[in-house]
Amino acid sequence: MNTLLSQIGSLTGALTESADGQFGILMSALAGIATALAVALAMTVYFRMSYRTWRDVLRHGLAALAALALFAFAAYDMRHAALAYLGLNPSKPAVEFEIRMPKETLAAASDTQIELHTDRNQTLALVEGVRELGDGRSVLRGAVGLNHRTADRVLVVNLPGKGTFEFRLRLPAEPHRSDRFGPQFGPWHLADRIASPLASPVAPQDAYMIRYRVL
């Protein structure tokens, strides 16, 4: 009973967060449209005026700069809302990761799901794509936001029909962002735990490795 209630609560929270994110994006889009219309109206009125003194030019120039600044802010707000909806809040650090594994393991698995588990919450990661290495291995790329201050972080990769792979992120509670001008990935680490279905054996543990960087 308690498990059922917790699952219902988690589903309700996820739906609420999704609705809030969509509402934020909608409001940001409306603000951007309104700002664009205001700029277009101001420029139309300005260019239709047949007589303009230097004071008019100065006054209208300042008004145009203010309108452009408002438009830039609206565009920034829309980007911020979109990233927040995807779970990547630019005001908080995020981890970009690469998981290396045998090509056949990743090719045979569908509906791959990656989650970040901490002692405070669980966050669904954004899967960015797959890159083949040409040596029988593939790299699964993705990113996930770090929303809480904790050193207990485990990235859980669920490959239906193949198994569940856990990678502990060796990061402090408040990790520093990597060099913004040339962020480098850290060293490769082995999987900390592998759980596979009884009828589907997996490759040795050293075939599954992860590396990551803080953005």
Side-chain angles (χ1 to χ4, degrees):
M1 185 63 179
N2 293 334
T3 303
L4 178 60
L5 291 177
S6 62
Q7 291 177 349
I8 294 176
S10 299
L11 178 59
T12 304
L15 292 175
T16 302
E17 290 178 359
S18 177
D20 291 342
Q22 292 176 353
F23 179 75
I25 294 176
L26 177 61
M27 293 302 296
S28 298
L30 292 177
I33 293 174
T35 304
L37 291 176
V39 173
L41 181 60
M43 297 302 293
T44 300
V45 172
Y46 176 73
F47 285 112
R48 284 182 177 273
M49 294 176 61
S50 59
Y51 175 76
R52 293 184 290 270
T53 65
W54 67 271
R55 291 182 179 179
D56 294 330
V57 174
L58 179 60
R59 183 170 63 254
H60 296 152
L62 292 176
L65 287 177
L68 290 176
L70 182 60
F71 181 75
F73 174 78
Y76 170 81
D77 186 58
M78 287 182 62
R79 177 179 180 274
H80 188 279
L83 290 176
Y85 177 67
L86 294 175
L88 300 176
N89 190 336
S91 64
K92 296 181 180 180
V95 166
E96 184 179 14
F97 56 83
E98 291 186 345
I99 301 174
R100 191 172 64 192
M101 64 182 66
K103 179 180 177 181
E104 61 273 11
T105 301
L106 191 57
S110 59
D111 299 328
T112 303
Q113 181 171 304
I114 304 178
E115 296 180 344
L116 177 64
H117 291 194
T118 73
D119 56 346
R120 301 185 61 181
N121 74 326
Q122 296 182 10
T123 304
L124 189 65
L126 176 65
V127 178
E128 297 178 348
V130 177
R131 175 169 54 90
E132 295 185 5
L133 299 179
D135 58 355
R137 296 179 298 177
S138 295
V139 171
L140 179 64
R141 298 181 292 108
V144 63
L146 304 180
N147 299 321
H148 295 282
R149 183 176 181 271
T150 176
D152 184 8
R153 301 185 180 99
V154 177
L155 201 66
V156 180
V157 182
N158 182 23
L159 300 177
K162 290 297 180 179
T164 301
F165 308 85
E166 297 183 2
F167 301 89
R168 182 171 298 279
L169 300 185
R170 295 163 174 81
L171 295 172
E174 294 185 1
H176 296 288
R177 288 179 170 88
S178 304
D179 183 10
R180 60 180 300 183
F181 298 106
Q184 299 294 326
F185 283 98
W188 290 99
H189 295 285
L190 297 175
D192 293 277
R193 181 175 179 272
I194 298 177
S196 62
L198 296 179
S200 179
V202 296
Q205 186 174 4
D206 58 1
Y208 301 89
M209 305 186 75
I210 188 174
R211 66 176 184 175
Y212 44 86
R213 59 184 175 184
V214 180
L215 302 178

